Amino acid sequence: MQLTNSIAKQIVKRSMKIIKHSVNVINEHGIIIGSGDPSRIGCRHEGAVLAINENRIVEIDKATAKQLRGVKPGINLPVIFQHKVIGVVGISGDPAQVRNYGELVKMTAELIIEQSALTTQFQWNKRHREELVLQLIQGTQLNEAQLESIAERLDLDLSQPRIAAVVKVDSFSGEHLSLEHLQKLVELLEYPERDNLVAIASVSMNEVVVLKPITFNENGWSRQLEEKRIKQLMQRIDSEGTFTIRIALGCYFPTLQGLAKSFKTAKATMESAVGRGNVLFYQDNILPVLFHGLKQDAWRCEQLCQPVARLKKNDSKGILLKTLTVFFKQNCDIAQTCKTLYIHRNTLRYRFDKIQLETGLDINKIDEKTRLYLAVINQ
């Protein structure tokens, strides 16, 4: 830890709110870097050099001041950080008058330095935690031993099973998404403490990735517990009232290398499941996710979506397409489909006949039903 101009300025400002005498801050080289008298900044203070070298309080009266360069009458006290002298604080004036202020100013300086050191350490840890997260989700070249060594230095536990979640700011108050929005989101994701590893993960600065610990039960990892936690998060964000979010949770893969795969499934779920809700699980969207890439291959996508294109052409009110969509959302359950659409079974059967006529696909044949389903989810 070194005294900087910024820290020196804080010490002078805060100290001179308490006492009316000019305060000087001198670095480890004996150079004044902060002072109530700006003309003294940059000068070498021989009295402070003596205080640093001998680690003692040095008082300077008028007679002594004439014998030393760059000094005025006053008192100079070593500033200690972690048992080491890193500089000096001085108070200008008659030593007899300023002596009683010495320990107060020294304590003020050391408290400011400790606070600055803690802030620096916190920011260092936060930056390196984010770097570690990015290494894990991007598929690092480091082996597990190296990653665990980095995590140990950051006091993180990578032995816990984790999944990746992508959190995207969906809407926000104001014209532009501000850094404050993201900082608040990160804070809400990190606290209450659940050992989440959080990092801003997109160039557009509107997505945050979370590597979150999961709990296993006899059926695998507990989705129910994650849904409960997400509900609590959504409630806290709603209470903020400044932005809304969508969350996509990826699949679980064992080992640290599996986190990159988990992130890919979370990212793909977010990209492919637009309009399907604010909380998305990869397990609920496996087919839409896996077939999402087809849209980048024009002719394949055109062939896949051709039946729905023909259906739309002769379904001006969208009734048949809506029926098909609800049918698939209800897992092809005829009773639930009728209940959701408020129609009779005969009406549903009539609509299925029209869908077959328009698309050329029989919904009672598994391969043709599958093709219809893929066409609907990729439209």
Side-chain angles (χ1 to χ4, degrees), residues 85-233:
V85 179
I86 64 168
V88 168
V89 287
I91 308 173
S92 299
D94 184 344
Q97 294 179 348
V98 300
R99 188 178 295 122
N100 292 335
Y101 299 124
E103 287 300 326
L104 177 61
V105 173
K106 173 182 166 72
M107 182 177 69
T108 300
E110 291 177 347
L111 285 173
I112 290 172
I113 291 164
E114 286 179 13
Q115 184 181 40
S116 177
L118 286 172
T119 301
T120 300
Q121 183 65 35
F122 175 79
Q123 291 173 341
W124 185 93
N125 283 343
K126 188 174 180 62
R127 185 168 64 251
H128 282 78
R129 282 167 69 105
E130 288 190 341
E131 284 294 329
L132 178 60
V133 171
L134 295 177
Q135 286 275 344
L136 290 168
I137 67 173
Q138 291 170 359
T140 178
Q141 298 297 316
L142 301 177
N143 59 40
E144 287 201 11
Q146 291 170 318
L147 291 169
E148 287 170 358
S149 175
I150 295 171
E152 186 177 351
R153 290 200 297 272
L154 295 172
D155 195 28
L156 298 174
D157 181 10
L158 291 185
S159 66
Q160 298 183 78
R162 297 174 184 268
I163 60 170
V166 173
V167 183
K168 186 171 186 176
V169 178
D170 205 29
S171 64
F172 48 90
S173 60
E175 294 183 3
H176 303 286
L177 178 64
S178 69
L179 185 58
E180 287 183 4
H181 285 122
L182 283 180
Q183 288 173 336
K184 187 61 183 178
L185 176 57
V186 169
E187 181 183 325
L188 290 169
L189 290 166
E190 290 179 331
Y191 303 101
E193 181 59 54
R194 299 199 197 280
D195 203 20
N196 288 339
L197 301 181
V198 184
I200 296 172
S202 70
V203 176
S204 57
M205 297 289 284
N206 68 339
E207 284 185 356
V208 173
V209 63
V210 186
L211 301 182
K212 59 193 324 306
I214 52 176
T215 304
F216 277 87
N217 55 32
E218 63 275 8
N219 299 316
W221 63 275
S222 177
R223 170 170 169 164
Q224 185 178 6
L225 180 59
E226 294 309 319
E227 288 176 335
K228 180 181 177 182
R229 289 174 176 171
I230 290 170
K231 183 178 179 181
Q232 292 170 345
L233 172 65

Side-chain angles (χ1 to χ4, degrees), residues 265-328:
T265 59
K267 182 76 171 173
T269 301
M270 178 66 78
E271 292 172 350
S272 64
V274 175
R276 298 175 187 268
N278 291 331
V279 180
L280 309 164
F281 284 83
Y282 169 73
Q283 286 85 348
D284 297 337
N285 298 277
I286 291 177
L287 279 179
V289 170
L290 295 181
F291 282 91
H292 181 63
L294 281 175
K295 293 183 178 179
Q296 298 172 6
D297 197 335
W299 76 268
R300 291 180 192 272
C301 185
E302 182 182 347
Q303 286 293 304
L304 183 65
C305 296
Q306 197 175 66
V308 168
R310 288 200 297 266
L311 185 64
K312 285 181 176 179
K313 187 176 180 180
N314 296 300
D315 181 31
S316 58
K317 295 183 179 179
I319 293 174
L320 298 179
L321 182 58
K322 180 181 178 181
T323 300
L324 203 53
T325 302
V326 170
F327 177 63
F328 288 133

Side-chain angles (χ1 to χ4, degrees), residues 343-361:
I343 60 175
H344 192 272
R345 280 176 175 262
N346 290 339
T347 303
L348 182 60
R349 190 175 295 112
Y350 169 75
R351 290 183 184 180
F352 281 164
D353 289 342
K354 290 200 69 175
I355 289 170
Q356 181 177 345
L357 180 65
E358 297 297 340
T359 63
L361 298 175

Side-chain angles (χ1 to χ4, degrees), residues 38-94:
S39 67
R40 300 190 67 187
I41 293 176
C43 297
R44 181 176 170 80
H45 194 298
E46 290 190 349
V49 173
L50 189 61
I52 292 169
N53 292 338
E54 298 183 7
N55 189 13
R56 67 179 179 85
I57 298 172
V58 175
E59 293 187 358
I60 300 174
D61 56 23
K62 290 183 179 180
T64 307
K66 293 179 181 178
Q67 300 173 14
L68 299 173
R69 288 187 303 169
V71 304
K72 290 184 178 181
I75 183 171
N76 299 277
L77 302 94
V79 175
I80 311 296
F81 179 74
Q82 294 183 349
H83 312 293
K84 181 181 178 182
V85 179
I86 64 168
V88 168
V89 287
I91 308 173
S92 299
D94 184 344

